[in-house]
């Protein structure tokens, strides 16, 4: 059994890998695989030299069974299945670790990322680009007004408090050169914000505009909560400025507390009496308490993520791949034991 690295070394591996996270996409994986075979097969020099890697994030709707059938029918289709739901970013990381191509395309499998953009990705890569990123151009009919507003607001906040700048309309729809993939695979951070990390690396980035496609089947599983979690990860993973902001907020609320104290003393000494009632006291408590909780919340986010990093738990665990699935067993893939804490012993 040869690993992805062995296939590249011997020249047996693909030139292009397409990585597609999938969660409850049983009705989309088949049409997407067929469309990718059609689109990529028409690119000069890639016929027979590509692979499609699906990452099943522990779906509940038969996605894994559909992937097993696809892999059995077409050797160019590969898959990775998780032991439980680890999230979209973990699925992207697993796909990068399992992909064997000289270039790797990351995209969703619901047709909102149009496969027809891949030939342009490949053309830019062949021209020397190491990172090719799709940038969504939206209009009133493409996405909801709420999503457009929140997306624009988020990127403005990230640009203000983060250490990186991400263009509005960016997504995890990318082509990465093998050198970039190997670099990313060397990162062991638990919290991955891929669209930020690829920009932090500093390689020249080529942007390709696109219009968002229409989901073929089903509904998006990317809920508001997941989007908020990703937004928080993007800010905290690439900046410590929120901690500095917390210090400034603490000073502001401390100043407000001092002013309230001065007001109370002046009211008692100069006016001769204080207003009977609890409104001012409750206002002071509410303001100072809110400030304290806000600062503690920001610090807690960082402390919690530091805890996750120090525990050295894996970002994901593989339950099955197309090779172990064909063998009829549901085990971790020994060629990709990097998902487990004991990498060296598991691979030996």
């Amino acid at each position: 059994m040869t690993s992805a690295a062995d296939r590249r070394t011997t020249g047996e591996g693909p030139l292009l890998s397409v990585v597609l996270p999938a969660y409850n996409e049983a009705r989309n994986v088949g049409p997407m695989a067929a469309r990718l075979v059609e689109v990529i097969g028409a690119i000069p020099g890639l016929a027979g030299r590509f692979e499609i890697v699906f990452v099943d994030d522990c779906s509940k709707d038969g996605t894994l069974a559909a992937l097993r059938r696809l892999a059995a029918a077409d050797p160019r289709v590969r898959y990775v299945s998780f032991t439980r739901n680890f999230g979209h970013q973990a699925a992207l990381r697993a796909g990068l670790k399992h992909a064997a191509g000289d270039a790797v395309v990351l995209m969703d499998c619901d047709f909102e990322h149009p496969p027809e953009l891949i030939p342009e990705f490949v053309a830019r890569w062949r021209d020397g680009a190491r990172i090719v990123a799709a940038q969504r151009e939206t209009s009133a009919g493409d996405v909801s007004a709420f999503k457009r507003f929140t997306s624009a607001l988020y990127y403005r906040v990230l640009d203000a408090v983060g250490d990186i700048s991400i263009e509005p309309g960016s997504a995890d729809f990318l082509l990465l050169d093998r050198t970039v993939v190997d670099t990313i695979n060397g990162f062991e951070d638990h919290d991955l914000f891929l669209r930020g990390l690829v920009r932090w690396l500093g390689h020249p980035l080529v942007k390709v505009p696109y219009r968002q496609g229409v989901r073929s089947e089903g509904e998006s599983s990317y809920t508001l909560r997941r989007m908020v979690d990703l937004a928080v990860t993007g800010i905290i993973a690439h900046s410590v400025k929120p901690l500095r902001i917390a210090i400034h907020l603490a000073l502001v609320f401390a100043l407000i507390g001092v002013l309230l104290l001065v007001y109370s003393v002046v009211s008692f000494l100069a006016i001769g009496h204080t207003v009977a009632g609890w409104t001012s006291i409750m206002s002071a408590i509410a303001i100072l308490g809110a400030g304290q909780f806000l600062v503690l919340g920001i610090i807690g986010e960082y402390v919690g993520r530091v805890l996750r990093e120090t525990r050295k738990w894996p970002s994901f665990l593989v339950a099955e791949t197309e090779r172990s699935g064909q063998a009829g067993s549901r085990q971790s893939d020994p060629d990709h034991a990097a998902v487990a804490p004991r990498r060296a012993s598991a691979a030996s």
Side-chain angles (χ1 to χ4, degrees):
M1 182 182 296
T2 58
S3 66
D6 293 335
R7 295 168 69 191
R8 292 194 301 271
T9 304
T10 60
E12 300 174 358
L15 293 177
L16 181 70
S17 299
V18 182
V19 171
L20 304 102
Y23 179 70
N24 293 342
E25 300 286 0
R27 294 181 292 176
N28 285 328
V29 292
M32 174 57 78
R35 186 62 184 140
L36 287 172
V37 169
E38 179 183 354
V39 170
I40 301 174
I43 301 175
L46 286 185
R49 294 297 308 276
F50 66 91
E51 66 177 4
I52 303 170
V53 183
F54 289 97
V55 183
D56 174 40
D57 196 10
C58 199
S59 300
K60 302 175 182 178
D61 69 340
T63 298
L64 179 57
L67 294 178
R68 288 170 179 157
R69 291 192 296 269
L70 287 172
D74 189 342
R76 294 170 297 188
V77 177
R78 304 175 58 211
Y79 69 86
V80 179
S81 179
F82 287 167
T83 58
R84 68 169 181 84
N85 183 269
F86 285 95
H88 184 264
Q89 296 294 301
L92 292 175
R93 171 173 284 180
L96 290 175
K97 286 184 177 294
H98 284 73
D102 294 336
V104 180
V105 171
L106 303 172
M107 61 184 296
D108 294 340
C109 68
D110 55 7
F111 289 93
E112 291 188 359
H113 294 166
E116 291 74 16
L117 206 64
I118 293 178
E120 187 170 356
F121 277 9
V122 173
R124 299 296 183 92
W125 171 61
R126 285 174 168 171
D127 288 340
R130 292 191 174 184
I131 302 174
V132 184
Q135 185 173 5
R136 185 180 65 245
E137 295 180 339
T138 59
S139 62
D142 292 334
V143 295
S144 66
F146 174 75
K147 187 171 183 179
R148 291 200 307 274
F149 171 75
T150 54
S151 176
L153 177 62
Y154 167 67
Y155 285 116
R156 287 179 183 175
V157 171
L158 182 61
D159 189 54
V161 304
D163 296 330
I164 55 173
S165 178
I166 302 179
E167 309 81 11
S170 299
D172 295 318
F173 188 14
L174 308 159
L175 180 145
L176 306 177
D177 182 76
R178 171 49 55 182
T179 56
V180 179
V181 173
D182 289 340
T183 301
I184 294 174
N185 286 341
F187 281 76
E188 298 181 355
D189 304 60
H190 190 279
D191 292 311
L192 178 69
F193 184 59
L194 189 62
R195 70 189 71 170
L197 180 58
V198 297
R199 289 163 174 80
W200 179 88
L201 293 176
H203 294 293
L205 184 146
V206 177
K207 291 178 286 185
V208 175
Y210 80 102
R211 297 295 294 270
Q212 180 170 302
V214 179
R215 167 176 276 271
S216 175
E217 297 283 350
E219 298 180 355
S220 174
S221 60
Y222 224 67
T223 62
L224 178 62
R225 177 182 176 183
R226 286 174 178 255
M227 288 190 287
V228 171
D229 289 343
L230 180 63
V232 172
T233 297
I235 294 174
I236 293 180
H238 292 280
S239 178
V240 295
K241 287 183 180 178
L243 288 175
R244 301 191 186 107
I245 293 174
I247 295 175
H248 296 157
L249 286 174
L251 294 175
V252 168
F253 285 114
L255 177 61
I256 293 174
V258 171
L259 293 176
L260 288 172
L261 177 62
V262 171
Y263 166 76
S264 300
V265 173
V266 171
S267 297
F268 179 76
L269 297 178
I271 300 178
H273 69 278
T274 58
V275 178
W278 52 270
T279 304
S280 59
I281 296 177
M282 294 304 296
S283 299
I285 294 175
I287 292 173
L288 296 178
Q292 291 174 342
F293 281 122
L294 177 61
V295 172
L296 288 175
I298 294 174
I299 296 174
E301 279 289 332
Y302 281 91
V303 172
R305 291 167 193 269
V306 169
L307 173 62
R308 281 208 295 264
E309 297 298 335
T310 56
R311 289 189 301 194
K312 298 296 182 182
W313 287 8
S315 300
F316 59 88
L317 292 173
V318 175
E320 178 184 322
T321 70
E322 76 283 349
R323 286 179 294 227
S324 61
Q326 290 167 1
S329 62
R330 191 171 177 81
Q331 302 173 8
S332 296
D333 185 357
D335 283 345
H336 300 92
V339 301
R342 299 180 179 86
R343 176 172 183 168
S345 59
S348 58

